[in-house]
Amino acid sequence: MYKSLLSALALSSSVLASPLLKRASTSSYVNQTTCDSLEYTYDSMVAWGFLAGNAVDNYGDTIGFGSSITLERPSVKVTTLADGSKNYSATVYNLPDRGWNTMGTTNFEPRIYKFEISFVPEPSGSFHPNLKWNLLDTLILTDPYGNPLTGFDCDTTLTFPDMPDIPAATFEHNGWYDFGGQDESVRVCFDAETLNVINGSIENGFWITDEYGPYLYRFNSRGMMVEAIRPPEAIVPYRNGTQSFSADSPREGSDIDGDDITPADPDSGRDNNHGFEGASISPDGKYLFALLQAATVQDGGTKKYQSSYSRLVKYDISTPGASEFVGEYIVKLPTYHNPDKSDKKNPETAAQSELYALSESQFFVLARDSGRGHGQSESESLYRHIDVFDISNATDIHSVDEYNVVGGAVAPDGVLVDDITTATLCPFLDVNVNSQLNKFGGGLHNGGDQEWELLNEKWEGMVLIPADGASGADNKYYAIITSDDDFMTQHGYVNFGKHTYRDDAGYNLDNQALVFEITLPSSLKPFGEFPAGS
Ligand SMILES: *[C@@H]1O[C@H](CO)[C@@H](O)[C@H](O)[C@H]1NC(C)=O
Ligand SMILES: *[C@@H]1O[C@H](CO)[C@@H](O)[C@H](O)[C@H]1NC(C)=O
Ligand SMILES: *[C@@H]1O[C@H](CO)[C@@H](O)[C@H](O)[C@H]1NC(C)=O
Ligand SMILES: *[C@@H]1O[C@H](CO)[C@@H](O)[C@H](O)[C@H]1NC(C)=O
Ligand SMILES: *[C@@H]1O[C@H](CO)[C@@H](O)[C@H](O)[C@H]1NC(C)=O
């Protein structure tokens, strides 16, 4: 009964999606914003899809695909279907976070996933998922000597030729539950958050930024670490005057509500689990930009109502192996009113989770609240946006020593010093617009019942695909965003499929993804230098 009702609904929605109505719905838009006289349009939400929360990778481990996504540009193909609609397909690489960690950090071996995606944009909505995910491969990352990395919180460092001290973690046996074999291992600790292939193709290698260091790491196409950048000392975490890379993230099986380290928060540098959550390579391939999830500790980072002054660093990466620190700017992240908090503790910072460079001065940033969504105590998110910021008038502080030394603050207690101009921030695309979400899956939604059509809490990956499948000549793009489901499932696998787990929260979350059609200002050509398509 239920099934036939669903197919009737699906049928009526495909009847509705006649070419005439499609044209009508693309001529209007959901919202528009102007940033430094450049106009951005949110045309429509056009696709949705997911990978089941219990799906496993090529090594038998549960997939969490949403920390970051990057596009293999030459792979983009656009074909016209019999009914005139367009079918897009592409190879993308997705990055998991540090593994299943809601019950403590584990010896997850950091990796990347290779997927083929395809979608047929449907501005009038689609009952069935119209963005498909097909896993092609899984690549385990290694250190410069070929050893795997670990998701465990850091407690020491390792040294490699021509690299700064690399944060590392010590563990016994194999780090899981079976004993025997080698006694103690020290591996690079890695809490990966952003993935960018170099110059549009994995053949050139890729950059990953993490949030333990927080460091910027370059890998070759086979997944071996070949370069590491340590950010300015003001960003490196220090406790008691000594570098201390722990994120106070106790291991699974220990008391995760207890502390891993004293003091729990660093005295200076990135806040725990607030490292380089966003990074992007400039359209010409020359610069790598990385943005902290929120302010450093000395800039108010431990309090949500003081942590909006985040740091954006800029490196010239055009000579592999000789990257140079060339810029640093302050981005004031968006804020929102949390009705559960007193006026004194408002507004709260919408911490950011992904960055996308549209030019050398304009960026998309994916910013959001936390603790709200599927699997959380509250279901309604108050802020989940793709916003725009522009650094053309922002003060470059990269050579100002007082802001870059240990403890160097630009915004003590969240109050910005006088001589710094921040980036200009422009609100843009609200992911939570229910009238757009409701068109898909029989009713995707923000807020309301805890069920699979409720949006997940964390949205951390973002990638653009030009609608012309090439250089974006018509200024139309599809923005794909992915959620990080924290590997929350009741049917999970870890340690190369050898162990099962059930997340304590009792939820099954899927790896959700949404697609929006947007129009960029014609002066921005993010695919100008390295176009998509073959
Ligand atoms: C930068 O400053 C100029 C001159 O004041 C102004 O016209 C322009 O709009 C500003 N741009 C941004 C992004 O704030
Ligand atoms: C779109 O193209 C991809 C890749 O060729 C293919 O797998 C998929 O089935 C196509 N989708 C439709 C609806 O034809
Ligand atoms: C910092 O100093 C305190 C007090 O001496 C000590 O208890 C703590 O273990 C130290 N922490 C680190 C990481 O050095
Ligand atoms: C990427 O392209 C830029 C601009 O052409 C070039 O300077 C850089 O060396 C390239 N990087 C790699 C790793 O190929
Ligand atoms: C459109 O953008 C404005 C400015 O950011 C915002 O106040 C409004 O809520 C947005 N409307 C929708 C439907 O997103």
Side-chain angles (χ1 to χ4, degrees), residues 444-472:
L444 296 186
H445 52 96
N446 170 43
D449 291 347
Q450 284 285 352
E451 37 98 31
W452 70 283
E453 288 166 316
L454 174 65
L455 293 196
N456 288 344
E457 170 206 17
K458 296 179 174 171
W459 290 83
E460 306 204 345
M462 170 169 40
V463 79
L464 298 191
I465 294 187
D468 68 356
S471 61

Coordinates of all heavy atoms in Angstrom, one line a residue, residues 444-472:
L444 N 12.6 16.3 2.8 CA 13.8 16.5 3.6 C 13.4 17.8 4.4 O 12.7 18.6 4.0 CB 15.0 16.9 2.7 CG 15.5 15.8 1.8 CD1 16.8 16.4 1.1 CD2 15.8 14.5 2.5
H445 N 14.0 17.8 5.6 CA 13.7 19.0 6.5 C 14.7 19.3 7.5 O 15.6 18.5 7.9 CB 12.3 18.7 7.2 CG 12.3 17.4 8.0 ND1 12.6 17.3 9.3 CD2 12.0 16.2 7.5 CE1 12.5 16.1 9.7 NE2 12.1 15.3 8.6
N446 N 14.7 20.6 7.9 CA 15.4 21.1 9.0 C 14.5 21.3 10.2 O 13.4 21.9 10.0 CB 16.1 22.4 8.7 CG 16.7 23.1 9.9 OD1 17.4 22.4 10.7 ND2 16.5 24.4 10.1
G447 N 14.8 20.7 11.4 CA 13.8 20.8 12.5 C 12.7 19.7 12.3 O 12.6 19.1 11.2
G448 N 12.0 19.4 13.4 CA 11.0 18.4 13.3 C 11.5 17.0 13.8 O 12.5 16.9 14.5
D449 N 10.8 16.0 13.3 CA 11.1 14.7 13.8 C 12.5 14.2 13.5 O 13.1 14.5 12.5 CB 10.1 13.6 13.1 CG 8.7 13.9 13.6 OD1 8.5 14.6 14.6 OD2 7.7 13.3 13.0
Q450 N 13.0 13.4 14.5 CA 14.3 12.7 14.3 C 14.1 11.5 13.4 O 13.7 10.5 13.9 CB 14.8 12.3 15.7 CG 15.3 13.4 16.6 CD 16.7 13.9 16.1 OE1 17.3 13.3 15.2 NE2 17.1 15.0 16.7
E451 N 14.3 11.7 12.1 CA 14.3 10.5 11.2 C 15.2 10.8 10.1 O 15.8 11.9 10.0 CB 12.8 10.2 10.8 CG 12.0 11.5 10.6 CD 11.8 11.9 9.2 OE1 11.9 11.0 8.3 OE2 11.7 13.1 8.9
W452 N 15.3 9.9 9.1 CA 16.3 9.9 8.1 C 16.3 11.1 7.2 O 17.3 11.5 6.6 CB 16.4 8.6 7.4 CG 15.2 8.4 6.4 CD1 14.0 8.0 6.8 CD2 15.2 8.6 5.0 NE1 13.2 8.0 5.7 CE2 13.9 8.3 4.6 CE3 16.2 9.0 4.1 CZ2 13.5 8.4 3.2 CZ3 15.8 9.1 2.7 CH2 14.5 8.8 2.3
E453 N 15.1 11.7 7.1 CA 15.0 12.9 6.2 C 15.3 14.2 6.9 O 15.2 15.3 6.3 CB 13.6 13.0 5.6 CG 13.3 11.9 4.6 CD 11.9 11.7 4.2 OE1 11.0 11.7 5.1 OE2 11.6 11.6 3.0
L454 N 15.6 14.1 8.2 CA 16.1 15.3 8.9 C 17.6 15.5 8.5 O 18.3 14.6 8.5 CB 16.0 15.1 10.4 CG 16.5 16.1 11.3 CD1 15.8 17.4 11.2 CD2 16.5 15.6 12.8
L455 N 17.9 16.8 8.3 CA 19.3 17.0 7.9 C 20.3 16.7 9.1 O 19.9 17.0 10.2 CB 19.5 18.5 7.5 CG 18.9 19.0 6.2 CD1 19.5 20.3 5.8 CD2 19.0 18.0 5.1
N456 N 21.4 16.2 8.8 CA 22.4 15.9 9.8 C 22.9 17.3 10.4 O 22.8 18.3 9.8 CB 23.6 15.2 9.2 CG 23.3 13.8 8.9 OD1 22.4 13.2 9.3 ND2 24.2 13.1 8.0
E457 N 23.6 17.2 11.5 CA 24.1 18.4 12.2 C 25.3 19.0 11.4 O 25.3 20.2 11.2 CB 24.6 17.9 13.6 CG 25.4 19.0 14.3 CD 26.4 18.4 15.3 OE1 26.8 17.2 15.3 OE2 26.9 19.2 16.2
K458 N 26.2 18.2 11.0 CA 27.5 18.7 10.5 C 27.6 18.7 9.0 O 27.4 17.7 8.3 CB 28.7 17.9 11.0 CG 28.8 17.9 12.5 CD 30.0 17.0 13.0 CE 30.2 17.2 14.4 NZ 31.1 16.3 15.0
W459 N 27.8 19.9 8.4 CA 28.0 20.0 6.9 C 29.4 20.5 6.7 O 29.7 21.7 7.1 CB 26.9 20.9 6.3 CG 25.6 20.1 6.4 CD1 24.8 20.1 7.5 CD2 25.0 19.3 5.4 NE1 23.7 19.2 7.2 CE2 23.9 18.7 6.0 CE3 25.4 18.9 4.1 CZ2 23.1 17.8 5.3 CZ3 24.6 18.0 3.4 CH2 23.5 17.5 4.0
E460 N 30.3 19.7 6.1 CA 31.7 20.1 6.1 C 32.4 20.0 4.8 O 33.6 20.4 4.7 CB 32.4 19.2 7.1 CG 31.8 19.2 8.5 CD 32.7 18.8 9.6 OE1 33.8 18.2 9.3 OE2 32.4 19.0 10.7
G461 N 31.7 19.5 3.7 CA 32.4 19.4 2.4 C 31.6 20.3 1.4 O 30.4 20.4 1.5
M462 N 32.4 20.9 0.5 CA 31.7 21.7 -0.5 C 32.6 21.7 -1.8 O 33.8 21.9 -1.7 CB 31.6 23.2 0.0 CG 31.2 24.2 -1.1 SD 30.8 25.8 -0.4 CE 32.0 26.1 0.9
V463 N 31.9 21.5 -2.9 CA 32.7 21.6 -4.2 C 31.7 22.2 -5.2 O 30.5 22.1 -5.1 CB 33.1 20.1 -4.6 CG1 32.0 19.3 -5.2 CG2 34.3 20.2 -5.5
L464 N 32.3 22.8 -6.2 CA 31.5 23.4 -7.3 C 31.8 22.6 -8.6 O 32.9 22.1 -8.8 CB 31.9 24.8 -7.6 CG 31.7 25.9 -6.6 CD1 31.9 27.3 -7.2 CD2 30.4 25.8 -5.9
I465 N 30.7 22.4 -9.4 CA 30.8 21.8 -10.7 C 30.2 22.9 -11.7 O 29.0 23.3 -11.5 CB 30.1 20.5 -10.8 CG1 30.8 19.5 -9.9 CG2 30.0 20.0 -12.3 CD1 30.3 18.1 -10.0
P466 N 30.9 23.3 -12.7 CA 30.4 24.3 -13.6 C 29.2 23.7 -14.5 O 29.4 22.5 -14.9 CB 31.5 24.7 -14.5 CG 32.6 23.7 -14.3 CD 32.3 22.9 -13.1
A467 N 28.1 24.4 -14.6 CA 26.9 23.8 -15.3 C 27.2 23.5 -16.8 O 26.6 22.7 -17.4 CB 25.8 24.8 -15.2
D468 N 28.2 24.2 -17.4 CA 28.6 23.9 -18.8 C 29.6 22.8 -18.8 O 30.1 22.4 -19.9 CB 29.1 25.2 -19.5 CG 30.4 25.7 -19.0 OD1 31.0 25.1 -18.0 OD2 31.0 26.6 -19.6
G469 N 30.0 22.2 -17.7 CA 30.9 21.1 -17.7 C 32.3 21.5 -18.0 O 33.1 20.6 -18.2
A470 N 32.6 22.8 -18.2 CA 33.9 23.2 -18.6 C 34.5 24.3 -17.8 O 34.9 24.2 -16.7 CB 33.8 23.5 -20.1
S471 N 34.3 25.6 -18.3 CA 35.0 26.7 -17.6 C 34.0 27.6 -16.9 O 34.4 28.6 -16.3 CB 35.8 27.5 -18.6 OG 34.9 28.0 -19.6
G472 N 32.7 27.3 -17.0 CA 31.7 28.1 -16.3 C 31.4 29.4 -17.1 O 31.1 30.4 -16.5

